[in-house]
Amino acid sequence: MYAITGITGQVGSAVADNLLAQGHQVRAVVRNPEKAETWKARGCEIALADVNDVAALTHAFHDVDGVFVLMPPVFDPSPGFPEAKAILASLHGALAAAHPPRIVCLSTIGAQATQPNLLNLLGIMETCLAELPSPVTFLRAGWFMENALWDVPAARDEGVLRSFLQPLDKPFPMIATKDIGAIAAELLQETWSGTRIVELEGQRRITPNALAAAFTKALGHAVKAEIVPRDTWIDLFKHQGMKNPTPRAQMIDGFNEGWIRFESDDAHVRKGSTSLDTVIAELVARH
């Protein structure tokens, strides 16, 4: 039995899909009972638990072979990440009390970066959960290919991909969420001691121009990548409703400037198999 948090999202569902396909039992840790019905119908055990409910989380993490931990995303944090730190305190308390035999936790490329940016949250998470008595793997994944979902309307309607990643010919480490789920499911079944870091990206790095080319192929008309000027970002993010957009801008700076990167050399970074063309075609088909 494996307890999966974030099972209603892209990565958590991919982890569960892989485990179920392999014949394993899955405990779906969900907050909303309505969202649990699909997983219940697929044979999953359901554990209702809010991320701030230590007692419910402890119960959800008891008597399992492993736990997959996915922090709820915080795209617009208050200064100092107080919301995320409260969630981490609950997760830490529950995992320490349940003491599962292994934990796989989704982290991110650049979690080790000391420069201020949005991904500092995952560095804080790694430091916090590394104190647990259970063996812990932090799965540091590259930029999600599925982030391109936000680019579908402009690519389809205007033939433009407006890129915050720049320059347009710079290759960035990206990964499909399907591959993250597959690797996380594998890791949950491995045996190790202490804390370890596994880094993951796709078979080849992807430029913004390559993203535009994938949209061109999927849509059947030309799509051109265009740079979004750096001096417009903060106002754009505020217009989108963000109250504290600076960490997000700093994160993108880190990718563009190269200080958000993997710690391992290329030979030690695991590689997924799903192609960019496959992901973009799926995003276009469902939008």
Side-chain angles (χ1 to χ4, degrees):
M1 174 77 73
Y2 294 94
I4 310 297
T5 66
I7 198 169
T8 59
Q10 292 184 99
V11 175
S13 63
V15 178
D17 286 340
N18 278 272
L19 291 170
L20 290 170
Q22 295 166 24
H24 297 289
Q25 293 182 305
V26 168
R27 180 179 295 159
V29 184
V30 296
R31 179 178 58 182
N32 186 337
E34 293 179 1
K35 292 186 176 181
E37 290 304 313
T38 299
W39 294 102
K40 185 176 181 180
R42 294 182 63 183
C44 294
E45 182 179 305
I46 306 300
L48 296 177
D50 185 89
V51 291
N52 294 303
D53 188 335
V54 177
L57 286 173
T58 301
H59 180 74
F61 298 154
H62 261 302
D63 299 322
V64 294
D65 298 301
V67 177
F68 177 71
V69 174
L70 192 153
M71 279 281 293
V74 182
F75 297 116
D76 190 16
S78 301
F81 305 106
E83 307 94 341
K85 287 178 178 177
I87 293 171
L88 276 174
S90 296
L91 284 170
H92 184 280
L95 289 165
H99 197 179
R102 61 186 66 84
I103 300 165
V104 173
C105 185
L106 182 63
S107 186
T108 180
I109 180 174
Q112 78 283 2
T114 57
Q115 295 92 329
N117 78 97
L118 186 61
L119 301 185
N120 292 150
L121 163 61
L122 283 307
I124 294 168
M125 177 199 70
E126 288 189 7
T127 299
C128 175
L129 300 188
E131 300 174 352
L132 291 167
S134 303
V136 182
T137 292
F138 295 111
L139 179 55
R140 291 183 181 174
W143 183 281
F144 288 10
M145 292 181 189
E146 284 80 3
N147 288 340
L149 177 65
W150 307 107
D151 300 312
V152 173
R156 181 191 59 214
D157 302 335
E158 304 172 49
V160 175
L161 184 145
R162 297 183 176 90
S163 182
F164 293 91
L165 295 176
Q166 45 199 258
L168 299 178
D169 59 354
K170 178 181 173 67
F172 295 90
M174 299 190 187
I175 185 69
T177 54
K178 184 184 300 184
D179 291 337
I180 301 173
I183 296 297
E186 289 179 14
L187 296 173
L188 278 168
Q189 299 172 67
E190 294 179 357
T191 300
W192 72 96
S193 60
T195 299
R196 65 175 179 168
I197 292 169
V198 174
E199 297 179 312
L200 175 65
E201 64 174 310
Q203 286 293 317
R204 58 187 58 84
R205 295 192 173 182
I206 296 167
T207 67
N209 283 332
L211 275 170
F215 272 112
T216 295
K217 183 176 180 180
L219 291 165
H221 64 74
V223 176
K224 181 181 179 181
E226 294 182 355
I227 284 176
V228 179
R230 176 62 176 85
D231 60 4
T232 67
W233 293 3
I234 297 299
D235 286 342
L236 280 171
F237 296 157
K238 286 182 177 179
H239 183 71
Q240 293 169 357
M242 296 187 71
K243 297 178 181 179
N244 182 29
T246 298
R248 180 183 175 190
Q250 292 168 326
M251 175 192 70
I252 302 170
D253 286 337
F255 278 98
N256 293 342
E257 296 168 10
W259 48 264
I260 288 183
R261 60 184 185 273
F262 289 124
E263 284 192 292
S264 303
D265 57 47
D266 186 65
H268 293 90
V269 175
R270 296 203 190 191
K271 302 295 175 67
S273 60
T274 305
S275 71
L276 176 65
D277 284 346
T278 297
V279 171
I280 297 302
E282 291 175 352
L283 295 180
V284 168
R286 76 176 201 231
H287 200 284

